[in-house]
Amino acid sequence: MTDSFRKIDYRLRPAKHAERAMLVELVKRLRFCPTESYQYVGMGSVAFIDHRMMHRHAGIVDMISFEGTDDEIVKERFRKNVPLSCVKMEFGMSTAVLPKLDFTKRSVVWLDYDDTLQRSMINDIETVGRTVADGSFVAVTFAVSFPTEAEKRPVEMNRLLNEFPEYVTEDTKPGEMEGGGLARLGRRAFNDLLAKAISDADAGIEANMKRRAVQVCYFRYRDGAPMCTLGWVIISDQTASAFQQSNLAALPFYRPADQQFDIRIPKITPYEVREMERRLPDLQVPDLTWIPPGERAAFASIYRFLPTFGVFEPV
Amino acid sequence: MTETTEENGQEPAKDDPLAVDASPTKDFFVDTITRDIALDRALADLVDNCIDGAKRLRDAAEALGENMAGGQRYNGLYARLTVTPEEFIIADNCGGIALDIARKYAFKFGRAAGFTETPNSVGQFGVGMKRALFKMGKRFEVRTADSQHSYRIDVDVQKWLTERSWDFRIEDLEENTTGKTEVGTTIRCWDLYPGVSELFKQDYFRRNLVSRIRTAQQHFMRNGFTIYINDEAIIPNEWQLQTGSGIDPLHQRFEDKLGGGPPLHTRIFAGVGSSNQSQAGWYVFCNGRCIVEADQSSATGWGDIAGGGGIGIPRYHNQFSRFRGYAFLDCSKSEKLPWNTTKTGLDYEDPAYRMLIGRLVTATRPVIDFLNELDRETDLEEGDRELSTSLRGSTSTPIADLPERAAFSYSAPTRRGPTLRSISYKKPESEVGELAAKLDVRAAKDVGVRSFEYAYQRLVVEDDL
């Protein structure tokens, strides 16, 4: 996970930006307690953009960023880049770091991997799920690309068969893993295993305190590679009414089931943006037919979360 | 062994034409449930009864979470097992069976309502003693004395099976308030079944029995209880994990309510020990009794851990032979503990088990990371094997001395500069020679180094511009 900052220029990731903005929007709507009292646990890499946003927009002041490196030189670069004094760095593998964190405090946890779906990611979510406080928000991001090279396809298929024996069988065709197949597999596996981990962890407590994970988002987008993000709010009978009041269903990107929300960045000019903004929220008006309908639809679904890019040239 | 007869079952309510007979038969207890348990485990069950007696004598309610480092709570108390091809004897000085308890509960199949359980008991289901005795032979005798009475119970199993009544009879009942007979219980079983007698003849069986009891009862032995087999005292193990030199084992404590009543206390330790495939895995103890030993199955969560051998990476090597984990579950209400009746495994539906399993998985994962990384080091040159070096510098520490820590952690010695990897490959000699000339070097090693540098410059450095 740590190496990703070497591969991707974090400044040029509009879909990622939109995703962050949407997750922040979702967190701001939680009505379990003031969001300022939550802790944020994420993988901030060297740019710490999600930590900045969670602090700026949701007022969170208790923040942890963890990175799986033990190289002193790399660690120093992370430390130097910490943008806020309230962000604490933890170095180590997720298997060793996550059990050490105190999740009894209401938390926003975002395990933002760059790698393709793996069983160990589910193990991480299970670790968090076992102890994370009622009223928390937990999200995971993973890549969902399936190799196109003929020689790599059976190797990858075999890996999935080994890691997800409950979901992949000998009969499963590589083609089923393409076109969102891997995201669908991930959604089922994460949902099932997170539910089991939570249910087992709460086996011995009173019925009204037993927690459950409610899926609230399911994004797909391209960030270099095709990506998938899943998010759950952890609730119990005790907190069900606070969850109702949060009214996450009103968010345009709320996705409780197997229908994903595609984050599609419209390819449009600044002039087109201005023209469309003047007419929002209805973009199906006749005088805009010169903008392709697909771009208009993409813009309408996401305009609130789009980044603004500019080029500044010194004169 | 026996034939079912009408007489030895309870009869259905004759007056009720709709009544269906679901009552058990004696044969069920003699022939059927005895098959569910291996002989050495059945004998360990008998030792459990002695331990429960010891707990009653030495106030076990206090004993909750007793001294992990060892103590003297059970000093002077013992169980002596005699195992010969002719007979089996187990004798203890752990308080005897009170007359009233014997009459109403001790010999009843299953626990009757009204029975006051020993707090933190290891005998829980009311089947262990009877099952063990029925399994071994056709005759048994129980002699016991407490501070009030002494008496004996003599049973001829074949005869009992043909009788209508389910009762055993108390004989030679005497007052013992003067302490004429030493307090304790002796159970003798003879007229052994041929298979049992043959096993009892084997040194191998006896050695196995010693090792089973050493594991199952080590906690009590470390607190002063002595167990002899054929006059030889068993020396208890001490559970240890490697510490120091950057390696720190996990030690966690939990207290769970699990409904009303006294809480369930859980202590978990996980880390690495010596490389030994047969000892590697999880050990789970319920009220001090070892229920699961050296387990690497899905029962303790291994199957669901990526890279743990079940999911992801097949276990080709013995890289997990250093894994050690110990989970101690204690509750003064022993029915809250997640054991099965043979005390050979865990009850997977039990809430206490379901809460435990996730904790074991979380505890196991960083140790697996460490062991997988350690395994990968075997490909490196000696000087680069940092984790192996750490491990050699660590020391065995009794788990009682471990500070609390939420996760197993390890840190390789601080590196100077980046991690180095070796690359080696073979190529046709003529081609190596041609490339050496182009690169203006001589040694094959330099051809390798220079060609790597060349490729790196072309494909990585220049590509990044």
Side-chain angles (χ1 to χ4, degrees), chain B residues 13-67:
Chain B
K14 285 191 178 114
D15 307 337
D16 184 352
L18 299 181
V20 174
D21 188 1
S23 61
T25 64
K26 287 177 179 177
D27 308 85
F28 173 71
F29 291 97
V30 175
D31 268 357
T32 310
I33 64 166
T34 51
R35 292 167 199 239
D36 296 345
I37 189 166
L39 189 57
D40 54 346
R41 291 181 190 270
L43 301 186
D45 267 356
L46 290 175
V47 179
D48 283 348
N49 287 340
C50 309
I51 302 272
D52 276 348
K55 283 185 164 179
R56 276 192 296 275
L57 276 183
R58 301 281 164 92
D59 195 9
E62 270 177 42
L64 197 69
E66 59 202 315
N67 206 344

Short mmCIF file of all heavy atoms in Angstrom, two decimals, chain B residues 13-67:
data_model
loop_
_atom_site.label_atom_id
_atom_site.label_comp_id
_atom_site.label_asym_id
_atom_site.label_seq_id
_atom_site.Cartn_x
_atom_site.Cartn_y
_atom_site.Cartn_z
N ALA B 13 -45.89 -44.61 29.25
CA ALA B 13 -47.08 -44.49 30.08
C ALA B 13 -48.15 -45.39 29.47
O ALA B 13 -48.63 -45.16 28.37
CB ALA B 13 -47.54 -43.04 30.12
N LYS B 14 -48.47 -46.44 30.19
CA LYS B 14 -49.35 -47.46 29.61
C LYS B 14 -50.75 -46.94 29.35
O LYS B 14 -51.41 -47.35 28.41
CB LYS B 14 -49.43 -48.66 30.55
CG LYS B 14 -48.14 -49.49 30.50
CD LYS B 14 -48.32 -50.80 31.20
CE LYS B 14 -47.06 -51.65 31.11
NZ LYS B 14 -46.40 -51.87 32.38
N ASP B 15 -51.17 -45.99 30.21
CA ASP B 15 -52.55 -45.53 30.10
C ASP B 15 -52.74 -44.57 28.92
O ASP B 15 -53.84 -44.29 28.52
CB ASP B 15 -52.96 -44.77 31.38
CG ASP B 15 -52.68 -45.65 32.60
OD1 ASP B 15 -52.63 -46.87 32.41
OD2 ASP B 15 -52.51 -45.07 33.69
N ASP B 16 -51.63 -44.02 28.45
CA ASP B 16 -51.75 -42.98 27.43
C ASP B 16 -51.43 -43.57 26.06
O ASP B 16 -50.27 -43.82 25.73
CB ASP B 16 -50.77 -41.84 27.76
CG ASP B 16 -50.92 -40.69 26.79
OD1 ASP B 16 -51.67 -40.84 25.80
OD2 ASP B 16 -50.29 -39.64 27.02
N PRO B 17 -52.45 -43.78 25.22
CA PRO B 17 -52.22 -44.42 23.92
C PRO B 17 -51.39 -43.55 22.98
O PRO B 17 -50.88 -44.03 21.97
CB PRO B 17 -53.62 -44.63 23.36
CG PRO B 17 -54.49 -43.64 24.08
CD PRO B 17 -53.87 -43.42 25.42
N LEU B 18 -51.28 -42.24 23.31
CA LEU B 18 -50.52 -41.35 22.42
C LEU B 18 -49.05 -41.20 22.85
O LEU B 18 -48.27 -40.54 22.16
CB LEU B 18 -51.19 -39.98 22.37
CG LEU B 18 -52.61 -39.98 21.83
CD1 LEU B 18 -53.17 -38.56 21.81
CD2 LEU B 18 -52.68 -40.58 20.43
N ALA B 19 -48.71 -41.79 23.99
CA ALA B 19 -47.33 -41.64 24.48
C ALA B 19 -46.36 -42.44 23.61
O ALA B 19 -46.64 -43.57 23.24
CB ALA B 19 -47.25 -42.10 25.93
N VAL B 20 -45.24 -41.83 23.27
CA VAL B 20 -44.21 -42.49 22.48
C VAL B 20 -43.00 -42.66 23.39
O VAL B 20 -42.56 -41.71 24.02
CB VAL B 20 -43.83 -41.63 21.26
CG1 VAL B 20 -42.66 -42.25 20.52
CG2 VAL B 20 -45.04 -41.48 20.35
N ASP B 21 -42.46 -43.84 23.47
CA ASP B 21 -41.35 -44.10 24.39
C ASP B 21 -40.06 -43.46 23.88
O ASP B 21 -39.57 -43.81 22.81
CB ASP B 21 -41.16 -45.61 24.54
CG ASP B 21 -40.16 -45.94 25.63
OD1 ASP B 21 -39.65 -44.98 26.27
OD2 ASP B 21 -39.90 -47.13 25.85
N ALA B 22 -39.51 -42.47 24.62
CA ALA B 22 -38.24 -41.85 24.24
C ALA B 22 -37.24 -41.97 25.38
O ALA B 22 -36.25 -41.24 25.43
CB ALA B 22 -38.47 -40.39 23.87
N SER B 23 -37.52 -42.87 26.32
CA SER B 23 -36.62 -43.00 27.47
C SER B 23 -35.36 -43.75 27.05
O SER B 23 -35.37 -44.55 26.13
CB SER B 23 -37.33 -43.75 28.59
OG SER B 23 -37.68 -45.03 28.14
N PRO B 24 -34.24 -43.46 27.73
CA PRO B 24 -32.99 -44.12 27.37
C PRO B 24 -32.93 -45.54 27.92
O PRO B 24 -33.70 -45.90 28.81
CB PRO B 24 -31.94 -43.24 28.04
CG PRO B 24 -32.64 -42.69 29.23
CD PRO B 24 -34.08 -42.55 28.86
N THR B 25 -32.02 -46.32 27.41
CA THR B 25 -31.77 -47.65 27.95
C THR B 25 -30.40 -47.62 28.63
O THR B 25 -29.57 -46.75 28.35
CB THR B 25 -31.73 -48.70 26.84
OG1 THR B 25 -30.63 -48.41 25.99
CG2 THR B 25 -33.02 -48.69 26.04
N LYS B 26 -30.18 -48.58 29.50
CA LYS B 26 -28.87 -48.66 30.17
C LYS B 26 -27.77 -48.91 29.14
O LYS B 26 -26.67 -48.39 29.25
CB LYS B 26 -28.88 -49.79 31.19
CG LYS B 26 -29.69 -49.49 32.43
CD LYS B 26 -29.68 -50.70 33.34
CE LYS B 26 -30.46 -50.42 34.62
NZ LYS B 26 -30.52 -51.62 35.47
N ASP B 27 -28.12 -49.71 28.13
CA ASP B 27 -27.11 -50.03 27.12
C ASP B 27 -26.57 -48.79 26.42
O ASP B 27 -25.43 -48.75 26.01
CB ASP B 27 -27.71 -50.95 26.05
CG ASP B 27 -28.36 -52.14 26.69
OD1 ASP B 27 -29.54 -52.00 27.08
OD2 ASP B 27 -27.69 -53.15 26.85
N PHE B 28 -27.47 -47.80 26.31
CA PHE B 28 -27.04 -46.57 25.66
C PHE B 28 -25.83 -45.99 26.40
O PHE B 28 -24.86 -45.54 25.80
CB PHE B 28 -28.19 -45.55 25.65
CG PHE B 28 -27.79 -44.20 25.16
CD1 PHE B 28 -27.50 -43.99 23.82
CD2 PHE B 28 -27.70 -43.13 26.03
CE1 PHE B 28 -27.11 -42.74 23.37
CE2 PHE B 28 -27.32 -41.88 25.60
CZ PHE B 28 -27.03 -41.69 24.26
N PHE B 29 -25.89 -46.04 27.73
CA PHE B 29 -24.80 -45.47 28.51
C PHE B 29 -23.57 -46.38 28.52
O PHE B 29 -22.44 -45.91 28.54
CB PHE B 29 -25.27 -45.20 29.94
CG PHE B 29 -26.27 -44.09 29.98
CD1 PHE B 29 -27.64 -44.35 30.01
CD2 PHE B 29 -25.85 -42.77 29.94
CE1 PHE B 29 -28.55 -43.32 30.02
CE2 PHE B 29 -26.77 -41.74 29.95
CZ PHE B 29 -28.13 -42.01 29.98
N VAL B 30 -23.80 -47.67 28.49
CA VAL B 30 -22.68 -48.61 28.59
C VAL B 30 -22.01 -48.80 27.22
O VAL B 30 -20.80 -48.85 27.12
CB VAL B 30 -23.18 -49.95 29.15
CG1 VAL B 30 -22.05 -50.98 29.15
CG2 VAL B 30 -23.71 -49.75 30.56
N ASP B 31 -22.83 -48.88 26.19
CA ASP B 31 -22.31 -49.25 24.88
C ASP B 31 -22.09 -48.07 23.94
O ASP B 31 -21.19 -48.08 23.11
CB ASP B 31 -23.30 -50.18 24.17
CG ASP B 31 -22.97 -51.62 24.45
OD1 ASP B 31 -21.95 -51.84 25.13
OD2 ASP B 31 -23.72 -52.49 24.00
N THR B 32 -22.97 -47.09 24.02
CA THR B 32 -22.97 -46.05 22.99
C THR B 32 -22.12 -44.84 23.35
O THR B 32 -21.20 -44.50 22.63
CB THR B 32 -24.41 -45.63 22.66
OG1 THR B 32 -25.16 -46.80 22.44
CG2 THR B 32 -24.44 -44.74 21.43
N ILE B 33 -22.43 -44.23 24.50
CA ILE B 33 -21.68 -42.98 24.76
C ILE B 33 -20.21 -43.26 25.07
O ILE B 33 -19.38 -42.39 24.95
CB ILE B 33 -22.31 -42.10 25.88
CG1 ILE B 33 -22.29 -42.80 27.21
CG2 ILE B 33 -23.70 -41.64 25.50
CD1 ILE B 33 -22.59 -41.84 28.36
N THR B 34 -19.91 -44.49 25.42
CA THR B 34 -18.50 -44.83 25.67
C THR B 34 -17.67 -44.83 24.40
O THR B 34 -16.46 -44.79 24.43
CB THR B 34 -18.38 -46.21 26.32
OG1 THR B 34 -19.12 -47.13 25.53
CG2 THR B 34 -18.93 -46.22 27.73
N ARG B 35 -18.37 -44.89 23.26
CA ARG B 35 -17.63 -44.90 21.98
C ARG B 35 -17.22 -43.51 21.55
O ARG B 35 -16.44 -43.34 20.63
CB ARG B 35 -18.52 -45.47 20.87
CG ARG B 35 -18.81 -46.93 21.05
CD ARG B 35 -19.92 -47.36 20.12
NE ARG B 35 -20.48 -48.60 20.60
CZ ARG B 35 -20.51 -49.71 19.88
NH1 ARG B 35 -20.02 -49.71 18.66
NH2 ARG B 35 -21.02 -50.80 20.38
N ASP B 36 -17.80 -42.51 22.21
CA ASP B 36 -17.54 -41.13 21.78
C ASP B 36 -16.21 -40.61 22.27
O ASP B 36 -15.86 -39.46 22.01
CB ASP B 36 -18.64 -40.19 22.31
CG ASP B 36 -19.98 -40.53 21.72
OD1 ASP B 36 -19.99 -41.27 20.73
OD2 ASP B 36 -20.99 -40.07 22.26
N ILE B 37 -15.47 -41.39 23.03
CA ILE B 37 -14.29 -40.82 23.67
C ILE B 37 -13.15 -41.84 23.63
O ILE B 37 -13.37 -43.04 23.78
CB ILE B 37 -14.63 -40.40 25.12
CG1 ILE B 37 -13.48 -39.61 25.72
CG2 ILE B 37 -15.03 -41.58 25.98
CD1 ILE B 37 -13.88 -38.87 26.99
N ALA B 38 -11.95 -41.34 23.40
CA ALA B 38 -10.78 -42.22 23.41
C ALA B 38 -10.44 -42.57 24.85
O ALA B 38 -10.72 -41.79 25.77
CB ALA B 38 -9.61 -41.52 22.74
N LEU B 39 -9.80 -43.71 25.03
CA LEU B 39 -9.55 -44.19 26.38
C LEU B 39 -8.70 -43.22 27.20
O LEU B 39 -9.01 -42.95 28.36
CB LEU B 39 -8.86 -45.56 26.28
CG LEU B 39 -8.70 -46.32 27.59
CD1 LEU B 39 -10.04 -46.54 28.27
CD2 LEU B 39 -8.02 -47.66 27.32
N ASP B 40 -7.64 -42.69 26.59
CA ASP B 40 -6.77 -41.80 27.39
C ASP B 40 -7.52 -40.54 27.82
O ASP B 40 -7.32 -40.03 28.91
CB ASP B 40 -5.48 -41.46 26.62
CG ASP B 40 -5.74 -40.89 25.25
OD1 ASP B 40 -6.88 -41.00 24.76
OD2 ASP B 40 -4.80 -40.33 24.66
N ARG B 41 -8.44 -40.10 26.97
CA ARG B 41 -9.23 -38.92 27.35
C ARG B 41 -10.23 -39.26 28.44
O ARG B 41 -10.52 -38.44 29.31
CB ARG B 41 -9.94 -38.34 26.13
CG ARG B 41 -8.98 -37.72 25.13
CD ARG B 41 -9.72 -37.14 23.95
NE ARG B 41 -8.81 -36.75 22.89
CZ ARG B 41 -8.26 -35.54 22.78
NH1 ARG B 41 -8.50 -34.63 23.69
NH2 ARG B 41 -7.46 -35.25 21.78
N ALA B 42 -10.76 -40.48 28.39
CA ALA B 42 -11.71 -40.91 29.43
C ALA B 42 -11.00 -40.93 30.79
O ALA B 42 -11.57 -40.54 31.81
CB ALA B 42 -12.27 -42.28 29.09
N LEU B 43 -9.76 -41.36 30.78
CA LEU B 43 -9.01 -41.39 32.03
C LEU B 43 -8.74 -39.98 32.53
O LEU B 43 -8.78 -39.71 33.73
CB LEU B 43 -7.69 -42.17 31.86
CG LEU B 43 -7.85 -43.63 31.40
CD1 LEU B 43 -6.51 -44.34 31.42
CD2 LEU B 43 -8.84 -44.38 32.28
N ALA B 44 -8.45 -39.07 31.60
CA ALA B 44 -8.25 -37.68 31.99
C ALA B 44 -9.51 -37.12 32.64
O ALA B 44 -9.44 -36.29 33.55
CB ALA B 44 -7.84 -36.85 30.78
N ASP B 45 -10.68 -37.58 32.19
CA ASP B 45 -11.95 -37.17 32.80
C ASP B 45 -12.00 -37.56 34.28
O ASP B 45 -12.53 -36.83 35.11
CB ASP B 45 -13.12 -37.86 32.10
CG ASP B 45 -13.69 -37.01 30.97
OD1 ASP B 45 -13.22 -35.87 30.79
OD2 ASP B 45 -14.62 -37.49 30.29
N LEU B 46 -11.47 -38.74 34.59
CA LEU B 46 -11.48 -39.17 35.99
C LEU B 46 -10.59 -38.26 36.84
O LEU B 46 -10.91 -37.95 37.98
CB LEU B 46 -10.99 -40.62 36.10
CG LEU B 46 -11.95 -41.67 35.54
CD1 LEU B 46 -11.29 -43.04 35.59
CD2 LEU B 46 -13.25 -41.68 36.33
N VAL B 47 -9.48 -37.82 36.24
CA VAL B 47 -8.60 -36.90 36.98
C VAL B 47 -9.35 -35.58 37.22
O VAL B 47 -9.17 -34.95 38.25
CB VAL B 47 -7.28 -36.69 36.21
CG1 VAL B 47 -6.37 -35.72 36.96
CG2 VAL B 47 -6.57 -38.01 35.99
N ASP B 48 -10.20 -35.18 36.26
CA ASP B 48 -11.00 -33.95 36.45
C ASP B 48 -11.79 -34.00 37.74
O ASP B 48 -11.95 -32.99 38.43
CB ASP B 48 -12.00 -33.78 35.29
CG ASP B 48 -11.33 -33.25 34.04
OD1 ASP B 48 -10.16 -32.83 34.13
OD2 ASP B 48 -11.97 -33.28 32.98
N ASN B 49 -12.35 -35.18 38.05
CA ASN B 49 -13.13 -35.30 39.29
C ASN B 49 -12.26 -35.04 40.51
O ASN B 49 -12.70 -34.40 41.47
CB ASN B 49 -13.77 -36.69 39.39
CG ASN B 49 -14.92 -36.84 38.42
OD1 ASN B 49 -15.48 -35.84 37.96
ND2 ASN B 49 -15.28 -38.07 38.09
N CYS B 50 -11.02 -35.53 40.49
CA CYS B 50 -10.10 -35.29 41.61
C CYS B 50 -9.83 -33.79 41.73
O CYS B 50 -9.81 -33.22 42.82
CB CYS B 50 -8.78 -36.02 41.41
SG CYS B 50 -8.97 -37.77 41.02
N ILE B 51 -9.62 -33.14 40.55
CA ILE B 51 -9.33 -31.70 40.54
C ILE B 51 -10.51 -30.92 41.12
O ILE B 51 -10.33 -29.98 41.91
CB ILE B 51 -9.06 -31.21 39.10
CG1 ILE B 51 -7.90 -31.98 38.47
CG2 ILE B 51 -8.88 -29.71 39.05
CD1 ILE B 51 -6.53 -31.43 38.68
N ASP B 52 -11.72 -31.31 40.75
CA ASP B 52 -12.89 -30.62 41.30
C ASP B 52 -12.95 -30.77 42.81
O ASP B 52 -13.32 -29.84 43.53
CB ASP B 52 -14.17 -31.15 40.65
CG ASP B 52 -14.45 -30.45 39.32
OD1 ASP B 52 -13.79 -29.43 39.05
OD2 ASP B 52 -15.33 -30.92 38.58
N GLY B 53 -12.59 -31.96 43.30
CA GLY B 53 -12.53 -32.18 44.75
C GLY B 53 -11.51 -31.24 45.38
O GLY B 53 -11.78 -30.59 46.39
N ALA B 54 -10.36 -31.12 44.73
CA ALA B 54 -9.31 -30.23 45.24
C ALA B 54 -9.79 -28.79 45.26
O ALA B 54 -9.53 -28.04 46.20
CB ALA B 54 -8.07 -30.36 44.36
N LYS B 55 -10.53 -28.41 44.21
CA LYS B 55 -11.06 -27.03 44.16
C LYS B 55 -12.04 -26.78 45.30
O LYS B 55 -12.06 -25.70 45.89
CB LYS B 55 -11.74 -26.79 42.81
CG LYS B 55 -10.77 -26.56 41.69
CD LYS B 55 -11.49 -26.21 40.40
CE LYS B 55 -10.49 -25.61 39.40
NZ LYS B 55 -11.12 -25.26 38.14
N ARG B 56 -12.89 -27.79 45.59
CA ARG B 56 -13.84 -27.63 46.70
C ARG B 56 -13.09 -27.47 48.02
O ARG B 56 -13.43 -26.64 48.83
CB ARG B 56 -14.78 -28.83 46.78
CG ARG B 56 -15.98 -28.75 45.87
CD ARG B 56 -17.02 -29.81 46.22
NE ARG B 56 -16.53 -31.16 46.01
CZ ARG B 56 -16.57 -31.79 44.83
NH1 ARG B 56 -17.08 -31.18 43.78
NH2 ARG B 56 -16.11 -33.01 44.72
N LEU B 57 -12.04 -28.29 48.20
CA LEU B 57 -11.28 -28.25 49.46
C LEU B 57 -10.55 -26.94 49.65
O LEU B 57 -10.43 -26.43 50.75
CB LEU B 57 -10.24 -29.37 49.46
CG LEU B 57 -10.67 -30.76 49.89
CD1 LEU B 57 -9.44 -31.66 49.89
CD2 LEU B 57 -11.30 -30.74 51.27
N ARG B 58 -10.01 -26.39 48.57
CA ARG B 58 -9.12 -25.22 48.70
C ARG B 58 -9.78 -23.96 48.15
O ARG B 58 -9.10 -23.09 47.60
CB ARG B 58 -7.79 -25.49 47.98
CG ARG B 58 -7.03 -26.70 48.48
CD ARG B 58 -6.28 -26.42 49.77
NE ARG B 58 -5.88 -27.64 50.44
CZ ARG B 58 -4.70 -28.26 50.25
NH1 ARG B 58 -3.84 -27.75 49.42
NH2 ARG B 58 -4.43 -29.36 50.90
N ASP B 59 -11.09 -23.89 48.29
CA ASP B 59 -11.83 -22.66 47.96
C ASP B 59 -11.54 -22.15 46.55
O ASP B 59 -10.86 -21.15 46.35
CB ASP B 59 -11.51 -21.57 48.97
CG ASP B 59 -12.52 -20.44 48.87
OD1 ASP B 59 -13.53 -20.60 48.16
OD2 ASP B 59 -12.30 -19.41 49.51
N ALA B 60 -12.11 -22.83 45.60
CA ALA B 60 -11.81 -22.53 44.20
C ALA B 60 -12.39 -21.21 43.72
O ALA B 60 -11.93 -20.66 42.73
CB ALA B 60 -12.30 -23.65 43.30
N ALA B 61 -13.42 -20.70 44.41
CA ALA B 61 -14.02 -19.44 43.94
C ALA B 61 -12.95 -18.37 43.87
O ALA B 61 -12.94 -17.54 42.98
CB ALA B 61 -15.14 -19.01 44.87
N GLU B 62 -12.02 -18.43 44.81
CA GLU B 62 -10.92 -17.47 44.81
C GLU B 62 -9.92 -17.76 43.71
O GLU B 62 -9.10 -16.94 43.36
CB GLU B 62 -10.13 -17.60 46.13
CG GLU B 62 -10.62 -16.74 47.24
CD GLU B 62 -9.79 -17.05 48.47
OE1 GLU B 62 -8.57 -17.20 48.32
OE2 GLU B 62 -10.39 -17.16 49.54
N ALA B 63 -10.00 -19.00 43.25
CA ALA B 63 -8.94 -19.47 42.37
C ALA B 63 -9.04 -18.91 40.96
O ALA B 63 -8.19 -19.14 40.13
CB ALA B 63 -8.97 -20.99 42.29
N LEU B 64 -10.08 -18.17 40.70
CA LEU B 64 -10.29 -17.64 39.37
C LEU B 64 -9.05 -16.86 38.91
O LEU B 64 -8.59 -15.97 39.58
CB LEU B 64 -11.50 -16.72 39.39
CG LEU B 64 -12.07 -16.42 38.03
CD1 LEU B 64 -12.71 -17.66 37.45
CD2 LEU B 64 -13.11 -15.32 38.16
N GLY B 65 -8.57 -17.20 37.78
CA GLY B 65 -7.39 -16.53 37.24
C GLY B 65 -6.20 -16.74 38.15
O GLY B 65 -5.40 -15.85 38.38
N GLU B 66 -6.11 -17.95 38.72
CA GLU B 66 -5.07 -18.15 39.72
C GLU B 66 -3.69 -18.08 39.10
O GLU B 66 -3.53 -18.00 37.90
CB GLU B 66 -5.26 -19.46 40.48
CG GLU B 66 -5.26 -20.69 39.61
CD GLU B 66 -5.98 -21.83 40.32
OE1 GLU B 66 -5.74 -22.02 41.51
OE2 GLU B 66 -6.79 -22.50 39.69
N ASN B 67 -2.76 -18.18 40.00
CA ASN B 67 -1.41 -17.82 39.65
C ASN B 67 -0.86 -18.56 38.45
O ASN B 67 -0.59 -19.75 38.49
CB ASN B 67 -0.53 -18.09 40.87
CG ASN B 67 0.68 -17.21 40.85
OD1 ASN B 67 0.99 -16.65 39.81
ND2 ASN B 67 1.33 -17.11 41.98
#
